[in-house]
Amino acid sequence: MTAWSRDGDDLLLRVRLTPGAAREEIGGVWADEKGALWLSARVRAVPEKGKANAALIALLGKRLDWPKSAILVESGDTNRLKRLRMKGGGEGAALQRLSAMIEEQGQA
């Protein structure tokens, strides 16, 4: 089981976001009580008026070298657990970068 899945050409990410963190980072995984894996992410932005979600999208876009406009929050707008869709991200470089970020943390 992984923190992502493919939906056609798109990549679906399960993300556990920690807003208001001291530093911004993505990497490693977190398992919920059902054993589902979630990509761990931290942003400095506060969870107010979508600021943390926007910071998460910006951080993912930068780290995965993917356009911010192609990353959408599908569910979890006001929740710590989110499902994101990366349009066209199910193939190639974005998926490889995502795998590398998780492995960097030594938790994959």
Side-chain angles (χ1 to χ4, degrees):
M1 180 177 256
T2 62
W4 68 86
S5 60
R6 291 183 180 156
D7 183 24
D9 290 338
D10 296 348
L11 183 64
L12 300 177
L13 301 174
R14 287 185 305 278
V15 179
R16 181 176 189 259
L17 179 63
T18 302
R23 63 181 180 185
E24 296 192 340
E25 62 185 357
I26 299 175
V29 292
W30 174 80
D32 65 17
E33 65 279 351
K34 295 178 184 176
L37 299 179
W38 298 77
L39 177 65
S40 295
R42 298 181 192 317
V43 295
R44 289 186 189 110
V46 295
E48 181 180 290
K49 298 181 182 178
K51 291 177 183 177
N53 290 340
L56 172 61
I57 289 170
L59 183 60
L60 274 171
K62 182 179 179 181
R63 292 286 308 271
L64 298 177
D65 193 24
W66 206 254
K68 292 185 293 186
S69 61
I71 304 173
L72 309 169
V73 177
E74 283 200 335
S75 65
D77 269 347
T78 60
N79 195 321
R80 179 179 292 261
L81 301 178
K82 303 178 181 302
R83 189 170 93 174
L84 282 73
R85 178 178 296 269
M86 289 181 59
K87 292 187 175 190
E91 300 292 330
L95 187 54
Q96 292 173 354
R97 287 186 197 99
L98 178 63
S99 295
M101 280 192 304
I102 293 171
E103 290 174 11
E104 279 176 15
Q105 300 294 322
Q107 298 178 20

